[in-house]
Amino acid sequence: MYKCSRCKEPVRSSGMNTVGMQCEKCGSKVFYKERPNVRKSVQSR
Ligand SMILES: [Zn+2]
């Protein structure tokens, strides 16, 4: 489970990566894994 870093909306990933993913709400492509201590933002380049 990933969460949008902008609107904090939970985003369902179809695979194990976030490449090509896009938030359906705000259109952001930056997500972070929903974990208490891990805040690793994933940015698609
Ligand atoms: Zn969003």
Side-chain angles (χ1 to χ4, degrees), residues 1 3 5-10 17 19-21 23-24 26-27 29-31 33-34 38 42-45:
M1 178 66 82
K3 270 196 173 182
S5 64
R6 187 186 290 179
C7 64
K8 306 297 186 297
E9 190 77 5
N17 56 56
V19 179
M21 270 175 57
C23 178
E24 295 180 356
C26 71
K29 292 181 180 176
V30 184
F31 306 95
K33 271 192 175 179
E34 190 179 41
V38 180
V42 181
Q43 217 159 1
S44 62
R45 287 191 174 180

